[in-house]
Amino acid sequence: MGRKKKKNTDIPEEPLDTSQSAEPEISHLPPPNKESITLTLHGATNLPPCKDGSEPWPYVVVKSTSEEANNQTSKAVTSVTSKPTRDPIWGDTVKVEIQAEDAGREDVVIKVVDSRKKEELLSYKIPIKYLRVFHPYHFELVTPAQSGKVDEDTDKTHLYATVVRKCSFIPRYIGCNHTALEVFLWGVNEPLVNNPSPMVVIARVVPNYKEFKASQVNRDLASVGLPITPVSFPIPSVMNFDVPRVSQNGCPQLSKPGGPPEQPLWNQSFLFQGRDGATNFSEDTALVLEYYPSTSMKGSQPWTLTHPLGISVLPLKSRLYRKMLTGKGLDGLRVARLPVTDTNLKTVSGEAPTVDLSFHLISSEVRLWPVGDGGVGRCKAGRQA
Protein backbone atom coordinates (compact mmCIF):
# COMPACT_ATOMS: atom_id res chain seq x y z
CA MET A 1 0.00 0.00 0.00
CA GLY A 2 2.97 2.33 0.58
CA ARG A 3 4.56 1.65 -2.80
CA LYS A 4 5.03 4.54 -5.19
CA LYS A 5 2.41 4.60 -7.94
CA LYS A 6 3.56 3.95 -11.47
CA LYS A 7 1.95 5.66 -14.40
CA ASN A 8 0.94 2.57 -16.26
CA THR A 9 -2.36 1.57 -17.79
CA ASP A 10 -2.10 -1.85 -16.11
CA ILE A 11 -1.88 -0.47 -12.57
CA PRO A 12 -5.08 1.09 -11.21
CA GLU A 13 -5.24 3.90 -8.68
CA GLU A 14 -4.29 3.18 -5.09
CA PRO A 15 -7.23 2.61 -2.72
CA LEU A 16 -8.30 5.44 -0.46
CA ASP A 17 -6.56 5.73 2.89
CA THR A 18 -9.18 4.59 5.41
CA SER A 19 -8.23 7.49 7.69
CA GLN A 20 -9.70 9.98 5.25
CA SER A 21 -13.21 10.41 3.90
CA ALA A 22 -13.95 9.47 0.30
CA GLU A 23 -16.13 12.54 -0.21
CA PRO A 24 -16.66 14.63 2.94
CA GLU A 25 -19.11 17.03 1.35
CA ILE A 26 -21.36 16.37 -1.63
CA SER A 27 -22.83 19.42 -3.35
CA HIS A 28 -26.19 19.12 -5.04
CA LEU A 29 -25.03 21.22 -8.01
CA PRO A 30 -21.74 20.85 -9.89
CA PRO A 31 -20.00 23.87 -11.49
CA PRO A 32 -21.57 25.53 -14.57
CA ASN A 33 -21.37 23.49 -17.79
CA LYS A 34 -20.45 20.39 -15.81
CA GLU A 35 -22.27 17.25 -14.76
CA SER A 36 -21.33 15.01 -11.85
CA ILE A 37 -22.17 11.43 -11.05
CA THR A 38 -22.11 10.63 -7.34
CA LEU A 39 -21.80 6.98 -6.36
CA THR A 40 -22.07 5.41 -2.93
CA LEU A 41 -20.48 1.97 -3.15
CA HIS A 42 -22.28 -0.02 -0.46
CA GLY A 43 -20.64 -3.39 -1.04
CA ALA A 44 -20.70 -6.59 -3.07
CA THR A 45 -21.36 -10.30 -2.74
CA ASN A 46 -19.66 -13.28 -4.41
CA LEU A 47 -16.74 -11.41 -5.95
CA PRO A 48 -14.51 -13.62 -8.11
CA PRO A 49 -11.24 -14.73 -6.49
CA CYS A 50 -7.86 -13.54 -7.71
CA LYS A 51 -6.26 -15.40 -10.59
CA ASP A 52 -4.23 -17.53 -8.19
CA GLY A 53 -7.42 -18.50 -6.32
CA SER A 54 -6.75 -16.35 -3.26
CA GLU A 55 -9.29 -14.09 -1.55
CA PRO A 56 -9.09 -10.47 -2.82
CA TRP A 57 -8.56 -7.27 -0.82
CA PRO A 58 -11.04 -5.30 -2.93
CA TYR A 59 -11.60 -1.61 -3.53
CA VAL A 60 -13.44 0.33 -6.27
CA VAL A 61 -12.22 2.81 -8.89
CA VAL A 62 -14.74 4.94 -10.81
CA LYS A 63 -13.92 6.83 -14.03
CA SER A 64 -15.60 8.28 -17.08
CA THR A 65 -14.86 6.58 -20.39
CA SER A 66 -12.81 9.59 -21.53
CA GLU A 67 -10.67 9.41 -18.37
CA GLU A 68 -10.22 5.73 -19.06
CA ALA A 69 -9.27 6.31 -22.71
CA ASN A 70 -6.77 9.05 -21.78
CA ASN A 71 -5.31 7.02 -18.90
CA GLN A 72 -6.14 9.76 -16.42
CA THR A 73 -5.78 9.10 -12.71
CA SER A 74 -9.14 9.03 -10.97
CA LYS A 75 -9.83 10.63 -7.60
CA ALA A 76 -13.03 8.56 -7.29
CA VAL A 77 -11.52 5.67 -5.34
CA THR A 78 -12.92 3.87 -2.29
CA SER A 79 -11.06 2.48 0.70
CA VAL A 80 -9.81 -1.10 0.71
CA THR A 81 -11.46 -3.68 2.96
CA SER A 82 -9.82 -4.41 6.31
CA LYS A 83 -9.32 -8.07 5.43
CA PRO A 84 -9.49 -10.36 2.37
CA THR A 85 -13.09 -11.02 1.39
CA ARG A 86 -15.37 -11.84 -1.52
CA ASP A 87 -18.27 -10.06 0.23
CA PRO A 88 -16.90 -6.56 0.89
CA ILE A 89 -18.55 -3.63 2.64
CA TRP A 90 -17.32 -0.13 1.70
CA GLY A 91 -19.97 2.53 2.28
CA ASP A 92 -17.78 5.15 0.56
CA THR A 93 -19.14 7.97 -1.61
CA VAL A 94 -17.14 9.14 -4.63
CA LYS A 95 -17.77 11.51 -7.52
CA VAL A 96 -16.75 11.90 -11.17
CA GLU A 97 -17.24 15.07 -13.22
CA ILE A 98 -17.67 15.44 -16.96
CA GLN A 99 -18.39 18.27 -19.39
CA ALA A 100 -22.16 18.65 -19.73
CA GLU A 101 -21.91 18.54 -23.53
CA ASP A 102 -20.32 15.07 -23.31
CA ALA A 103 -23.07 13.46 -21.22
CA GLY A 104 -24.66 11.84 -24.26
CA ARG A 105 -21.56 9.84 -25.13
CA GLU A 106 -19.85 9.21 -21.79
CA ASP A 107 -20.18 6.11 -19.60
CA VAL A 108 -19.44 5.67 -15.92
CA VAL A 109 -16.84 2.90 -15.57
CA ILE A 110 -16.90 1.05 -12.23
CA LYS A 111 -13.99 -1.30 -11.53
CA VAL A 112 -13.45 -3.59 -8.55
CA VAL A 113 -9.71 -4.15 -8.03
CA ASP A 114 -7.57 -6.32 -5.75
CA SER A 115 -5.27 -3.99 -3.79
CA ARG A 116 -2.34 -6.41 -3.49
CA LYS A 117 -1.98 -7.74 -7.02
CA LYS A 118 -3.71 -4.80 -8.76
CA GLU A 119 -5.88 -7.30 -10.60
CA GLU A 120 -9.19 -6.12 -12.03
CA LEU A 121 -11.91 -8.36 -10.61
CA LEU A 122 -14.98 -6.76 -12.20
CA SER A 123 -15.89 -3.93 -14.52
CA TYR A 124 -19.24 -2.25 -15.28
CA LYS A 125 -20.20 0.51 -17.71
CA ILE A 126 -23.33 2.62 -17.22
CA PRO A 127 -24.27 5.08 -20.01
CA ILE A 128 -24.76 8.47 -18.34
CA LYS A 129 -27.53 9.37 -20.79
CA TYR A 130 -29.65 6.55 -19.28
CA LEU A 131 -29.71 8.25 -15.87
CA ARG A 132 -32.45 10.74 -15.06
CA VAL A 133 -30.98 13.89 -13.51
CA PHE A 134 -31.16 14.08 -9.68
CA HIS A 135 -32.99 10.76 -9.34
CA PRO A 136 -31.43 8.45 -6.70
CA TYR A 137 -30.94 4.99 -8.24
CA HIS A 138 -30.26 2.14 -5.84
CA PHE A 139 -28.66 -0.47 -8.07
CA GLU A 140 -27.86 -4.14 -7.77
CA LEU A 141 -25.37 -4.61 -10.60
CA VAL A 142 -25.38 -8.28 -11.58
CA THR A 143 -22.79 -10.17 -13.62
CA PRO A 144 -22.29 -13.91 -14.15
CA ALA A 145 -19.33 -15.29 -12.19
CA GLN A 146 -16.26 -16.42 -14.09
CA SER A 147 -17.50 -20.00 -13.87
CA GLY A 148 -20.04 -19.08 -16.56
CA LYS A 149 -22.94 -20.74 -14.73
CA VAL A 150 -25.41 -18.02 -15.55
CA ASP A 151 -28.48 -20.07 -14.61
CA GLU A 152 -27.73 -20.19 -10.89
CA ASP A 153 -28.14 -16.98 -8.91
CA THR A 154 -25.58 -18.17 -6.37
CA ASP A 155 -22.94 -18.06 -9.10
CA LYS A 156 -23.57 -14.39 -9.86
CA THR A 157 -21.72 -11.39 -8.52
CA HIS A 158 -23.78 -8.54 -7.07
CA LEU A 159 -22.45 -5.00 -6.59
CA TYR A 160 -24.68 -2.62 -4.62
CA ALA A 161 -24.44 1.11 -5.32
CA THR A 162 -26.51 4.28 -5.13
CA VAL A 163 -25.98 6.45 -8.21
CA VAL A 164 -27.12 10.05 -8.73
CA ARG A 165 -26.52 12.11 -11.86
CA LYS A 166 -26.42 15.88 -11.18
CA CYS A 167 -26.32 18.86 -13.52
CA SER A 168 -25.50 22.51 -12.77
CA PHE A 169 -29.14 23.58 -12.66
CA ILE A 170 -32.35 22.14 -11.23
CA PRO A 171 -34.83 21.32 -14.01
CA ARG A 172 -38.13 23.19 -13.95
CA TYR A 173 -41.18 21.08 -14.75
CA ILE A 174 -44.51 22.25 -16.17
CA GLY A 175 -47.11 22.77 -13.48
CA CYS A 176 -44.57 23.19 -10.66
CA ASN A 177 -44.13 26.61 -9.05
CA HIS A 178 -40.92 25.50 -7.36
CA THR A 179 -38.04 23.40 -8.63
CA ALA A 180 -37.15 21.54 -5.44
CA LEU A 181 -37.49 21.16 -1.70
CA GLU A 182 -34.27 20.92 0.30
CA VAL A 183 -34.46 19.18 3.67
CA PHE A 184 -31.54 19.42 6.07
CA LEU A 185 -31.45 16.72 8.76
CA TRP A 186 -29.50 17.73 11.86
CA GLY A 187 -29.53 14.94 14.44
CA VAL A 188 -31.05 13.39 17.55
CA ASN A 189 -31.61 16.03 20.22
CA GLU A 190 -30.87 14.06 23.40
CA PRO A 191 -28.47 11.20 24.20
CA LEU A 192 -29.88 7.68 23.81
CA VAL A 193 -29.48 4.88 26.33
CA ASN A 194 -30.19 1.85 24.11
CA ASN A 195 -28.73 2.43 20.64
CA PRO A 196 -25.66 0.22 19.97
CA SER A 197 -24.64 1.41 16.49
CA PRO A 198 -24.67 4.43 14.16
CA MET A 199 -27.90 4.99 12.23
CA VAL A 200 -28.72 5.54 8.59
CA VAL A 201 -31.87 7.36 7.51
CA ILE A 202 -34.09 6.77 4.48
CA ALA A 203 -35.86 10.02 3.56
CA ARG A 204 -38.73 10.35 1.11
CA VAL A 205 -41.63 12.64 0.25
CA VAL A 206 -44.86 10.71 -0.43
CA PRO A 207 -47.89 12.25 -2.20
CA ASN A 208 -50.43 10.43 -0.02
CA TYR A 209 -49.27 9.27 3.41
CA LYS A 210 -52.41 7.24 4.19
CA GLU A 211 -51.96 5.15 1.04
CA PHE A 212 -48.23 4.82 1.71
CA LYS A 213 -48.86 3.63 5.26
CA ALA A 214 -51.38 1.08 3.97
CA SER A 215 -48.74 -0.23 1.54
CA GLN A 216 -46.31 -0.67 4.41
CA VAL A 217 -48.87 -2.54 6.49
CA ASN A 218 -49.43 -4.86 3.52
CA ARG A 219 -45.64 -5.37 3.30
CA ASP A 220 -45.41 -3.94 -0.20
CA LEU A 221 -41.66 -4.23 -0.83
CA ALA A 222 -41.57 -0.94 -2.73
CA SER A 223 -42.72 0.93 0.39
CA VAL A 224 -40.18 -0.55 2.83
CA GLY A 225 -36.50 0.35 2.91
CA LEU A 226 -34.67 0.97 -0.35
CA PRO A 227 -36.19 -0.09 -3.69
CA ILE A 228 -33.32 -2.03 -5.27
CA THR A 229 -33.15 -2.01 -9.09
CA PRO A 230 -31.39 -5.08 -10.57
CA VAL A 231 -29.32 -4.32 -13.67
CA SER A 232 -27.79 -7.21 -15.63
CA PHE A 233 -24.47 -6.86 -17.42
CA PRO A 234 -22.49 -6.84 -19.65
CA ILE A 235 -25.11 -4.98 -21.75
CA PRO A 236 -27.77 -3.29 -19.61
CA SER A 237 -31.14 -2.34 -21.04
CA VAL A 238 -32.32 1.26 -21.09
CA MET A 239 -35.53 -0.02 -19.49
CA ASN A 240 -33.60 -0.73 -16.28
CA PHE A 241 -33.18 3.02 -15.80
CA ASP A 242 -36.78 4.04 -16.48
CA VAL A 243 -38.45 6.11 -13.74
CA PRO A 244 -42.26 6.36 -13.39
CA ARG A 245 -43.79 9.83 -13.67
CA VAL A 246 -45.46 9.50 -10.27
CA SER A 247 -44.37 7.22 -7.45
CA GLN A 248 -46.76 6.56 -4.59
CA ASN A 249 -43.76 5.54 -2.48
CA GLY A 250 -41.67 8.61 -3.28
CA CYS A 251 -38.04 8.53 -4.34
CA PRO A 252 -36.13 7.32 -1.24
CA GLN A 253 -32.72 8.78 -0.46
CA LEU A 254 -30.19 7.20 1.88
CA SER A 255 -28.16 9.18 4.42
CA LYS A 256 -24.61 8.56 5.49
CA PRO A 257 -24.29 6.73 8.85
CA GLY A 258 -24.91 9.09 11.76
CA GLY A 259 -22.84 8.75 14.90
CA PRO A 260 -21.94 8.43 17.65
CA PRO A 261 -24.53 5.75 18.58
CA GLU A 262 -25.34 7.59 21.83
CA GLN A 263 -26.53 10.68 19.91
CA PRO A 264 -26.48 10.31 16.10
CA LEU A 265 -25.76 13.45 14.05
CA TRP A 266 -26.16 13.56 10.27
CA ASN A 267 -25.92 17.23 9.25
CA GLN A 268 -27.03 16.12 5.80
CA SER A 269 -29.06 17.72 3.06
CA PHE A 270 -31.60 15.94 0.84
CA LEU A 271 -32.90 17.48 -2.40
CA PHE A 272 -36.42 16.48 -3.52
CA GLN A 273 -37.48 17.59 -7.00
CA GLY A 274 -40.69 19.33 -7.96
CA ARG A 275 -41.11 16.66 -10.65
CA ASP A 276 -41.60 14.06 -7.90
CA GLY A 277 -44.39 16.05 -6.26
CA ALA A 278 -42.15 17.18 -3.38
CA THR A 279 -43.29 20.81 -3.72
CA ASN A 280 -47.02 20.02 -3.93
CA PHE A 281 -48.03 20.86 -0.38
CA SER A 282 -51.41 19.38 0.52
CA GLU A 283 -53.28 17.65 3.34
CA ASP A 284 -51.97 14.27 2.10
CA THR A 285 -48.28 14.96 1.30
CA ALA A 286 -45.70 14.05 3.94
CA LEU A 287 -41.98 13.79 4.56
CA VAL A 288 -41.17 10.33 5.93
CA LEU A 289 -37.91 9.48 7.71
CA GLU A 290 -37.06 5.86 8.56
CA TYR A 291 -34.17 5.11 10.94
CA TYR A 292 -32.12 1.91 10.60
CA PRO A 293 -29.00 0.59 12.32
CA SER A 294 -26.06 0.89 9.94
CA THR A 295 -25.11 -2.68 10.84
CA SER A 296 -28.31 -3.89 9.14
CA MET A 297 -26.59 -3.03 5.85
CA LYS A 298 -24.14 -5.86 6.44
CA GLY A 299 -24.87 -9.53 6.03
CA SER A 300 -25.70 -12.23 3.55
CA GLN A 301 -28.54 -10.12 2.09
CA PRO A 302 -27.14 -6.58 2.23
CA TRP A 303 -29.19 -3.42 1.94
CA THR A 304 -32.56 -5.08 2.47
CA LEU A 305 -33.56 -2.58 5.14
CA THR A 306 -36.91 -3.86 6.38
CA HIS A 307 -37.02 -3.33 10.17
CA PRO A 308 -36.67 0.34 11.10
CA LEU A 309 -35.72 1.46 14.60
CA GLY A 310 -38.34 4.18 14.31
CA ILE A 311 -40.08 6.58 11.96
CA SER A 312 -40.74 10.32 11.77
CA VAL A 313 -43.58 11.79 9.72
CA LEU A 314 -44.01 15.49 8.97
CA PRO A 315 -47.17 16.43 7.03
CA LEU A 316 -46.28 18.94 4.29
CA LYS A 317 -49.47 20.95 4.60
CA SER A 318 -50.30 24.40 3.26
CA ARG A 319 -49.54 25.90 6.68
CA LEU A 320 -45.91 24.81 6.41
CA TYR A 321 -45.82 26.07 2.82
CA ARG A 322 -47.00 29.54 3.88
CA LYS A 323 -44.38 29.68 6.63
CA MET A 324 -41.65 28.90 4.11
CA LEU A 325 -42.88 31.57 1.67
CA THR A 326 -42.96 34.14 4.48
CA GLY A 327 -39.36 33.30 5.30
CA LYS A 328 -37.86 34.13 1.92
CA GLY A 329 -34.37 35.50 2.24
CA LEU A 330 -33.68 33.63 5.48
CA ASP A 331 -31.57 30.53 5.85
CA GLY A 332 -34.55 28.21 5.98
CA LEU A 333 -37.44 27.19 8.17
CA ARG A 334 -36.45 25.07 11.15
CA VAL A 335 -38.76 22.38 12.54
CA ALA A 336 -37.69 21.55 16.08
CA ARG A 337 -38.17 18.30 17.99
CA LEU A 338 -39.94 16.18 15.39
CA PRO A 339 -40.87 12.95 17.25
CA VAL A 340 -39.48 9.52 16.37
CA THR A 341 -42.45 7.16 16.71
CA ASP A 342 -42.98 3.38 16.50
CA THR A 343 -39.71 2.93 18.34
CA ASN A 344 -38.13 1.26 21.35
CA LEU A 345 -35.37 3.86 21.45
CA LYS A 346 -35.21 5.86 24.67
CA THR A 347 -33.35 8.99 25.71
CA VAL A 348 -31.64 9.50 29.06
CA SER A 349 -34.85 11.17 30.26
CA GLY A 350 -36.86 8.04 29.40
CA GLU A 351 -38.68 9.64 26.49
CA ALA A 352 -38.78 8.71 22.79
CA PRO A 353 -36.16 10.67 20.78
CA THR A 354 -36.76 13.71 18.60
CA VAL A 355 -34.84 15.20 15.66
CA ASP A 356 -34.44 18.69 14.19
CA LEU A 357 -34.95 19.54 10.51
CA SER A 358 -34.56 22.62 8.33
CA PHE A 359 -36.42 23.31 5.09
CA HIS A 360 -35.75 25.49 2.08
CA LEU A 361 -38.11 25.81 -0.88
CA ILE A 362 -36.18 26.44 -4.10
CA SER A 363 -37.87 28.42 -6.87
CA SER A 364 -34.88 29.09 -9.12
CA GLU A 365 -33.28 26.66 -11.55
CA VAL A 366 -29.79 27.75 -10.48
CA ARG A 367 -27.98 27.90 -7.17
CA LEU A 368 -29.11 30.83 -5.04
CA TRP A 369 -27.18 30.28 -1.83
CA PRO A 370 -23.49 29.59 -1.27
CA VAL A 371 -22.90 25.90 -0.78
CA GLY A 372 -22.64 25.03 2.89
CA ASP A 373 -22.97 21.71 4.70
CA GLY A 374 -22.80 20.01 1.30
CA GLY A 375 -26.11 21.41 0.12
CA VAL A 376 -27.61 23.90 -2.31
CA GLY A 377 -27.77 26.40 0.51
CA ARG A 378 -27.02 26.80 4.16
CA CYS A 379 -29.87 25.47 6.30
CA LYS A 380 -28.49 27.02 9.45
CA ALA A 381 -30.54 28.15 12.43
CA GLY A 382 -33.45 29.44 10.42
CA ARG A 383 -36.83 30.44 11.79
CA GLN A 384 -38.58 27.83 13.86
CA ALA A 385 -41.93 26.37 12.84
Side-chain angles (χ1 to χ4, degrees):
M1 295 272 290
R3 291 177 299 174
K4 187 176 180 181
K5 287 191 288 185
K6 300 178 184 178
K7 292 191 175 181
N8 188 307
T9 56
D10 297 328
I11 300 180
E13 287 75 1
E14 294 290 335
L16 183 77
D17 185 340
T18 54
S19 65
Q20 60 183 333
S21 171
E23 187 68 42
E25 289 189 355
I26 299 294
S27 171
H28 289 305
L29 301 180
N33 302 317
K34 295 272 191 178
E35 287 200 9
S36 66
I37 294 83
T38 300
L39 301 94
T40 300
L41 285 310
H42 303 299
T45 57
N46 199 35
L47 287 181
C50 296
K51 292 178 181 176
D52 63 3
S54 63
E55 295 273 287
W57 293 68
Y59 67 99
V60 182
V61 179
V62 183
K63 287 185 176 184
S64 66
T65 42
S66 59
E67 287 177 327
E68 177 94 335
N70 296 325
N71 193 28
Q72 292 177 248
T73 299
S74 174
K75 296 180 181 179
V77 183
T78 73
S79 57
V80 67
T81 55
S82 59
K83 60 183 180 180
T85 179
R86 295 178 62 189
D87 300 306
I89 299 288
W90 295 292
D92 294 333
T93 299
V94 299
K95 179 177 68 175
V96 295
E97 271 190 2
I98 62 168
Q99 294 294 327
E101 62 186 20
D102 296 333
R105 54 181 177 270
E106 288 269 22
D107 294 347
V108 177
V109 183
I110 305 169
K111 291 186 176 183
V112 182
V113 180
D114 172 63
S115 65
R116 291 176 304 172
K117 300 179 176 62
K118 305 305 177 190
E119 289 181 14
E120 180 182 308
L121 304 171
L122 286 173
S123 181
Y124 305 89
K125 286 187 178 181
I126 299 176
I128 294 174
K129 63 184 178 182
Y130 286 0
L131 302 172
R132 199 192 83 191
V133 176
F134 291 110
H135 179 76
Y137 292 91
H138 308 290
F139 284 140
E140 178 186 40
L141 307 180
V142 185
T143 54
Q146 291 179 340
S147 64
K149 297 178 182 178
V150 297
D151 294 331
E152 299 180 29
D153 192 60
T154 54
D155 288 318
K156 294 181 179 180
T157 297
H158 303 256
L159 178 70
Y160 297 86
T162 293
V163 181
V164 185
R165 173 188 175 186
K166 304 176 182 180
C167 63
S168 58
F169 64 94
I170 304 172
R172 181 178 295 279
Y173 292 95
I174 297 173
C176 297
N177 294 328
H178 307 281
T179 55
L181 175 69
E182 185 179 27
V183 177
F184 191 86
L185 175 62
W186 295 76
V188 176
N189 288 311
E190 294 182 323
L192 302 170
V193 295
N194 60 342
N195 183 47
S197 65
M199 286 188 209
V200 293
V201 179
I202 293 177
R204 67 179 94 204
V205 174
V206 296
N208 189 310
Y209 179 68
K210 288 182 179 179
E211 291 184 12
F212 173 74
K213 188 65 177 176
S215 297
Q216 288 193 317
V217 171
N218 294 330
R219 307 302 296 171
D220 177 3
L221 293 179
S223 67
V224 180
L226 286 179
I228 302 295
T229 303
V231 183
S232 297
F233 286 82
I235 304 175
S237 166
V238 66
M239 299 302 293
N240 292 131
F241 305 88
D242 189 35
V243 177
R245 177 65 183 87
V246 178
S247 174
Q248 192 59 45
N249 300 309
C251 298
Q253 299 182 35
L254 180 68
S255 79
K256 61 188 178 185
E262 302 79 36
Q263 192 172 2
L265 295 175
W266 294 280
N267 291 334
Q268 181 161 345
S269 174
F270 301 94
L271 189 72
F272 298 98
Q273 285 189 93
R275 179 195 188 278
D276 301 322
T279 61
N280 297 338
F281 291 78
S282 71
E283 296 304 301
D284 302 319
T285 309
L287 170 73
V288 181
L289 304 174
E290 297 169 300
Y291 307 89
Y292 294 88
S294 60
T295 52
S296 65
M297 301 177 71
K298 303 177 182 181
S300 59
Q301 296 242 325
W303 312 287
T304 51
L305 304 177
T306 54
H307 301 291
L309 296 170
I311 185 172
S312 294
V313 179
L314 180 67
L316 299 181
K317 297 185 178 183
S318 53
R319 171 179 166 272
L320 191 66
Y321 176 67
R322 288 193 298 270
K323 277 182 173 287
M324 277 194 270
L325 290 185
T326 306
K328 278 187 176 180
L330 298 176
D331 280 337
L333 177 69
R334 184 149 177 169
V335 175
R337 307 188 70 81
L338 180 68
V340 178
T341 62
D342 299 327
T343 183
N344 293 321
L345 295 172
K346 294 292 182 185
T347 66
V348 290
S349 61
E351 303 293 328
T354 63
V355 297
D356 279 9
L357 306 170
S358 292
F359 289 83
H360 178 57
L361 197 56
I362 301 171
S363 299
S364 172
E365 295 179 356
V366 297
R367 181 186 294 145
L368 293 179
W369 296 349
V371 173
D373 298 316
V376 170
R378 298 165 298 155
C379 286
K380 293 184 186 284
R383 300 182 314 112
Q384 188 166 303

